[in-house]
Amino acid sequence: MDGFAAVDFGFAREVLQRGIAALYLVAFVSTLNQFRPLLGEHGLLPAPVLLDWVAQKRERRKLLHPTLFTRVRYTDRRLVALCGAGIGIAALLIAGVPQLGPPWVPMLAFLALWFGYMSVVSIGQTFYSFGWEMLLLEAGFLAAFLGSNDQPPPTVVIVLFWWLLFRLEFGAGMIKIRGGREWRDLTAMTFHHETQPMPGPLSRQAHLLPRWFHTLEVVGNHVAQLVVPFFLFAPLLSLWLPGPVPQIVGAVAAGIVIATQLWLVLTGNFAWLNWATIVLGFSAIGLPGIGAPERVPETSLPWTVSGMPLWWVMTTSAVGVLFVVLSVPAVRNLFARRQLMNASFHRWQLANAYGAFGTVTRERIEIVVEGSDDEEGRHWREYEFRGKPGDVRRIPRQFAPYHLRLDWLMWFLPLGHSLDDWFSVFLVRLLEADAPTLRMLRVDPFHGERPRWVRAVSYRYRFTTRAEHRVDGAVWVRTGRRVVLGPVGLR
């Protein structure tokens, strides 16, 4: 590092810019495919209804985060146009095209992604209530100030990325220590792989590993989230200490974070949460001579400072000051007795509080949706979802970083005191054989025809042992069948 210029972090900037843009591309593709049946004009929770309710009273606007659709009336076509624009801009950033121009070009590109996606998240209601939504928004905002290829990355912005990664990891670690007892008695991972929201193809194998290995997983998690994040800031010491040691320490810390996240990628489906953390981890990896200017940036006051235009130094410094001010509530939250998880402290969703899995459920309850096409309701067939467990012989698929929002919300259903309102509408859509809704599923047992009845049945699922799997190839065992809703039909 050289004052205002993080001269050894050119490679980190390349990974951050292109990686974050890739995640935005995934997010907009996910929105393009799922928003309309979930939240569109005829969705399960129509966004226009929410927007009309907000528009009735001025004070209600404060309940929404900023969105384009308070200025421009929402239609499904406009949502498609917004997603198309987001996909196009993200693709250009992945290719590195805006980065070839002056710094304001990639800045405007990332700010367009940030505000465009925030416009979606703000009206996404429960289907967009996940912590990785605000994580992507904050990362996109910071990426806007990483600059162009012809100048070094600003030190202040690189440090802000470390601060974001620190809040993400340390916040998650503190949530766990303060949360369920299973994190303190080191048994959490004994259950996690089996009961996580959406298992992946290797989740069963991970679950069947010895108990001592699961204990090491928890210990490793605590070290990676409660100790290692402090060392992400080590490269700052290179401003005063000569030699490569500070950057090596920072790179090792980043490597540990990345390695733990890769294990979670292999054993689960957490949308882009793990991938975003991996991308952010590269912010602490400084590689001299890679992606950096060939010579030490020159200072030619008053117009050039450390190889960067004065106006850009002032802009990025102002962003740094802004985050210092906005981070006060996040710092307090980290050390508060009642720590908030995945909380935003103001409307623009910057300097947020993060954290996940403060408790781990010990058993897996799945809601299975069934339909019947006979008048008496004697013969029932199951609807199958793309990601959530259903067929006991089907190996879970890998979907992350793509986000299956309906499947994730289905996991939360048994955890509540009552079935959510959107689920009742979902059942009506099945009774209507609504084509957009059925396209979100893997199997429609009625092939586009209307069933006479639908109902919701709960089961307790667990992974098969190796001996059980050898008998019939089943991946799951399900027991404890109970009808929780229905049968219901259309009048």
Side-chain angles (χ1 to χ4, degrees):
M1 287 188 164
D2 181 27
F4 288 102
V7 293
D8 294 331
F9 289 84
F11 174 74
R13 175 173 63 187
E14 290 288 331
V15 175
L16 288 168
Q17 288 179 324
R18 296 171 191 257
I20 292 171
L23 295 175
Y24 267 97
L25 188 148
V26 173
F28 276 112
V29 169
S30 170
T31 297
L32 179 63
N33 292 337
Q34 300 176 66
F35 191 95
R36 285 168 291 171
L38 295 176
L39 296 146
E41 294 172 272
H42 304 288
L44 307 184
L45 295 176
V49 174
L50 171 66
L51 290 165
D52 289 343
W53 178 81
V54 169
Q56 291 174 6
K57 293 184 179 180
R58 181 173 297 180
E59 57 269 22
R60 291 178 180 172
R61 294 188 177 183
K62 297 180 180 180
L63 301 176
L64 277 186
H65 292 291
T67 174
L68 174 69
F69 295 113
T70 56
R71 302 290 181 180
V72 178
R73 183 165 182 82
Y74 174 91
T75 66
D76 286 347
R77 287 188 176 182
R78 288 170 179 166
L79 185 279
V80 171
L82 176 61
C83 291
I87 292 169
I89 294 172
L92 289 174
L93 285 163
I94 294 169
V97 175
Q99 295 91 309
L100 298 175
W104 59 264
V105 178
M107 180 188 74
L108 291 181
F110 273 109
L111 289 180
L113 291 181
W114 169 67
F115 186 71
Y117 194 62
M118 182 163 57
S119 294
V120 173
V121 173
S122 298
I123 60 174
Q125 303 169 74
T126 189
F127 290 104
Y128 280 76
S129 60
F130 301 91
W132 48 76
E133 312 288 5
M134 64 173 67
L135 174 62
L136 184 58
L137 290 173
E138 184 170 352
F141 181 86
L142 289 177
F145 302 96
L146 282 169
S148 300
N149 293 347
D150 62 349
Q151 57 191 247
T155 296
V156 64
V157 179
I158 293 295
V159 173
L160 288 176
F161 271 106
W162 301 344
W163 172 230
L164 171 56
L165 183 57
F166 179 89
R167 280 180 282 124
L168 178 62
E169 288 293 280
F170 189 71
M174 292 298 289
I175 280 285
K176 292 178 176 67
I177 288 296
R178 291 167 170 156
R181 180 179 177 181
E182 62 273 8
W183 288 109
R184 296 188 294 275
D185 64 18
L186 308 183
T187 62
M189 299 305 289
T190 305
F191 312 101
H192 165 77
H193 296 296
E194 182 175 74
T195 64
Q196 63 180 304
M198 194 181 303
L202 297 179
S203 297
R204 178 176 167 273
Q205 285 76 7
H207 174 71
L208 294 176
L209 290 170
R211 185 176 291 271
W212 62 263
F213 185 86
H214 295 313
T215 301
L216 288 180
E217 283 184 289
V218 181
V219 173
N221 179 88
H222 289 333
V223 172
Q225 293 191 324
L226 294 173
V227 179
V228 170
F230 289 94
F231 293 94
L232 294 170
F233 298 96
L236 280 175
L237 296 176
S238 64
L239 294 172
W240 303 280
L241 299 178
V245 174
Q247 288 188 193
I248 291 175
V249 172
V252 170
I256 293 172
V257 171
I258 291 171
T260 57
Q261 294 299 312
L262 285 173
W263 174 244
L264 295 175
V265 167
L266 288 173
T267 58
N269 274 299
F270 294 96
W272 53 79
L273 174 61
N274 306 126
W275 286 108
T277 309
I278 290 169
V279 170
L280 294 177
F282 277 92
S283 67
I285 298 179
L287 300 176
I290 299 181
E294 296 181 358
R295 57 182 180 177
V296 177
E298 298 180 354
T299 295
S300 180
L301 296 176
W303 306 116
T304 305
V305 179
S306 298
M308 296 182 289
L310 177 62
W311 70 269
W312 187 242
V313 173
M314 294 176 64
T315 299
T316 54
S317 298
V319 171
V321 173
L322 172 67
F323 266 79
V324 169
V325 175
L326 295 180
S327 294
V328 172
V331 173
R332 290 175 178 170
N333 182 67
L334 283 174
F335 302 99
R337 288 186 177 181
R338 296 184 178 180
Q339 180 186 355
L340 300 178
M341 183 174 69
N342 297 325
S344 179
F345 301 101
H346 56 87
R347 301 183 70 230
W348 297 97
Q349 302 194 65
L350 303 174
N352 307 305
Y354 299 99
F357 290 95
T359 59
V360 175
T361 53
R362 292 175 177 257
E363 64 177 11
R364 181 179 202 94
I365 304 298
E366 287 288 346
I367 300 295
V368 174
V369 180
E370 300 176 337
S372 174
D373 57 1
D374 61 81
E375 191 66 31
E376 296 79 16
R378 294 178 180 177
H379 305 287
W380 294 89
R381 287 179 277 178
E382 293 184 14
Y383 291 90
E384 294 187 27
F385 291 74
R386 296 183 182 277
K388 74 179 286 297
D391 181 357
V392 295
R393 288 179 174 79
R394 183 170 182 257
I395 298 174
R397 303 299 192 262
Q398 186 68 42
F399 290 96
Y402 191 81
H403 187 10
L404 293 174
R405 300 178 184 279
L406 178 62
D407 296 62
W408 266 80
L409 266 292
M410 288 295 295
W411 180 80
F412 283 102
L413 277 182
L415 305 181
H417 296 293
S418 61
L419 297 179
D420 293 349
D421 291 342
W422 66 264
F423 185 66
S424 300
V425 182
F426 174 66
L427 295 181
V428 172
R429 294 289 187 269
L430 295 182
L431 289 167
E432 296 170 340
D434 179 64
T437 301
L438 293 175
R439 280 196 292 269
M440 291 192 294
L441 304 178
R442 190 177 77 90
V443 173
D444 167 22
F446 302 101
H447 309 289
E449 298 297 324
R450 291 187 176 189
R452 179 66 183 87
W453 307 100
V454 293
R455 68 183 182 184
V457 181
S458 70
Y459 290 93
R460 182 180 295 107
Y461 275 66
R462 66 167 177 82
F463 280 130
T464 55
T465 64
R466 292 184 178 90
E468 291 170 330
H469 180 70
R470 284 194 293 268
V471 173
D472 58 5
V475 177
W476 299 96
V477 173
R478 67 182 189 183
T479 57
R481 178 181 177 277
R482 183 170 67 91
V483 177
V484 295
L485 179 65
V488 293
L490 295 177
R491 292 181 178 178

